[in-house]
Amino acid sequence: MKLSNKLLLLPAAFAIALSSVSALFHETAPAFAQAAISLSLNKSQAAPGEEVKASGKYHPSAWVSLRVIDASGAVLVFDAVRSGDDGSYSFAFTVPTQVTGKLKVFAGSGSDVGSTEVEVAGGGGGPSAQPSAAPSAAPSTAPSAAPGTAPTPAPVQASPAPSAAASVPLSAGNGSLTYAPVLSGAGGRQAAAVTVGEDDIRKALSGGASRLSLSVQTRGADSVTVELTPSAARQWLSQSSAAFLDVSAEPGSYSLPATVLKSAVTGPAGLRVTIAKATERQKQDVSSAAQKQKFILLNASVDFKAGIVREGAEQPIDFGSTYVSRSIPLPDAVSPAVTAAVRYDEKSGKLVYVPAVFESRDGGMAAIIKRNGNSLYAIVTGSASFKDVPAAHWGRSDIELLAAKGIIGGSGSGMYGPARSVTRAESVALIVRGLGLEEKAGVSAFRDVAASAWYSGAVNAAYQAGLVNGQGDGSFHPGEPVSRQELAVLIHSALKYARGGETAASMKPLAVFADQASVASWAKEAVAEDAAAGILRGTPAGRFEPAGTASRAEMAAMLKRMLQTMKFIN
């Protein structure tokens, strides 16, 4: 069996040893590794409305996020900036009104976090301050009203506004929470923040809703951060009805599955979701990449992040092989055949295709992006044609659709080579791109895959995802043509990966090919399920030809049908 969907398993004894070592480190390690970032403020005390400057050093040209948190854990300020070539960075934020006491200031990226504090005095009440009751109206000293006229009411003193740090839902119930957020400004950007408490979650889910929806009502905010306190996160994850947390705001929406988060949110940990419009630097990076790759940008880029929060520091959630949905509203109708969702890859400076479908939503259109990771996303249109794929070619529409989305490319000089046999390396690279997997650099598990080869990152990603195992002798044979039954196994592995390891229950027995007896035993299940899904089709003579090779045109057709089956494209 040349291509397999089986995962590499560690010997039991070795796995137990690793578990013991892991437990030892978990017992002795501090909550966070020593921060590799410096952070200082230009003042230790500030008044509400006063500007505070934060600065420090980190890795050169790296993104650094800033968060200012009050004593209740509410996020008052959120911003992000890229450090300079020497690693230096700086922020400026304004201390919100109606806040007193100490504010914690965090700056960092991932597990590299620096923190400090600023004392706030002279504000209009701490975060936990409640509106005071209105005093009784003073007796009126005005003369009695004339008979038949209404008396003039005495003035009543208005209650003070609630604390700016408080997150009180506008509505709660039927699985839904709606908030008006705390707004703050820093670095020329407006940030909206909401902190969700345990009682709010309990009220929203009292009726046993199947989803928990958090809606933030704000217009014009550059970023929206929603944070569930540790008790609120536990309240959501401990119940059995709401399988998803949907966070929606003006820039977009994010849907998080409880199945993934139950194992990630442990102990005193909260959950933070940030949906942010691209910063000016990010806009420049995305625009430059789009021009180089001949894409047309259709919208402003949106940065989606979801992380686990412990003691104010955030660590990205590892979604594993679970595809998580996020949506971006579109200003106009689009043609799904030439429109794609892409993520900006900072390492390569390129826009990379990610699975997405385009559908009508709320009176307009939206891109529903599916990926198992956080990133900066944009929506683009593209077009492609090849000199050797004429209008009459049976595979032209499939080839041009995938090329417009950035999944496949030509062979140089405007040619595609539709009749040429696809190699094992090419087939794996196309499947990895179609799944939206991130390529993995480094030494390969296969002795004949050089780290410098163009396909090395894709083969490594496929191996780590359990899509391929090679030839059994430590080799992969990347330049050999892939057989049709090997390709069927690879596609079957991709289908199972996208479904979280499950096989579709609706699959029928092996389609009746005239040469079905020639299908190898290790490929029969894959051929049967791929054919039942409509991904594999026989020759005009009704044969499958399992040992035959697949052309690049046939590969494009099967890849398109696979992605449609997964609902990764329209």
Side-chain angles (χ1 to χ4, degrees), residues 360-386:
S360 298
R361 178 175 289 191
D362 299 328
M365 287 199 77
I368 314 302
I369 301 170
K370 304 175 183 181
R371 185 168 176 263
N372 51 356
N374 296 316
S375 196
L376 175 67
Y377 298 97
I379 309 302
V380 301
T381 60
S383 62
S385 61
F386 301 98

Side-chain angles (χ1 to χ4, degrees), residues 6 25 32 78 112 160 167 185 211 229 264 279 283-284 295 297 302 335 349 373 382 384 409 432 441 446 470 523:
K6 294 182 179 179
F25 276 96
F32 295 96
F78 169 76
D112 293 335
S167 295
R211 303 180 79 100
T229 64
T279 64
K283 290 178 183 177
Q284 293 173 10
F295 283 131
L297 286 170
V302 182
S335 171
V432 165
F446 305 109

Side-chain angles (χ1 to χ4, degrees), residues 38 64 75 120 159 190 239 251 357 370 388 390 412:
S38 64
V64 180
V75 179
V120 181
S159 300
Q190 187 180 59
Q239 53 76 51
V357 293
K370 304 175 183 181
D388 56 350

Side-chain angles (χ1 to χ4, degrees), residues 198-359:
E198 178 182 359
D199 289 342
D200 296 345
I201 301 292
R202 186 179 292 108
K203 291 176 184 176
L205 298 180
S206 60
S210 61
R211 303 180 79 100
L212 174 59
S213 175
L214 304 182
S215 176
V216 182
Q217 294 188 347
T218 180
R219 289 288 178 184
D222 296 292
S223 67
V224 177
T225 298
V226 175
E227 184 164 332
L228 274 65
T229 64
S231 60
R234 288 194 299 271
Q235 179 65 31
W236 167 48
L237 295 173
S238 64
Q239 53 76 51
S240 58
S241 61
F244 288 88
L245 169 65
D246 301 322
V247 178
S248 60
E250 182 187 0
S253 63
Y254 209 157
S255 295
L256 299 172
T259 51
V260 173
L261 296 177
K262 283 182 179 179
S263 59
V265 182
T266 58
L271 175 65
R272 181 182 294 152
V273 176
T274 301
I275 306 172
K277 298 175 184 177
T279 64
E280 289 303 318
R281 177 60 181 270
Q282 288 176 321
K283 290 178 183 177
Q284 293 173 10
D285 291 341
V286 171
S287 177
S288 175
Q291 290 179 4
K292 292 177 182 177
Q293 296 173 245
K294 298 181 180 180
F295 283 131
I296 298 175
L297 286 170
L298 295 184
N299 74 314
S301 305
V302 182
D303 199 355
F304 290 85
K305 293 179 181 177
I308 306 301
V309 182
R310 289 185 174 88
E311 298 181 3
E314 178 179 345
Q315 292 182 320
I317 296 172
D318 181 4
F319 293 108
S321 62
T322 301
Y323 282 79
V324 180
S325 295
R326 68 277 289 161
S327 69
I328 298 177
L330 300 176
D332 301 298
V334 299
S335 171
V338 294
T339 308
V342 293
R343 65 177 176 86
Y344 178 68
D345 181 61
E346 290 189 8
K347 295 178 182 178
S348 65
K350 294 182 178 180
L351 299 178
V352 182
Y353 159 87
V354 290
V357 293
F358 300 89
E359 60 184 38

Side-chain angles (χ1 to χ4, degrees), residues 167-172 177-181 215-217:
S167 295
V168 180
L170 300 176
S171 63
L177 290 166
T178 302
Y179 291 91
S215 176
V216 182
Q217 294 188 347

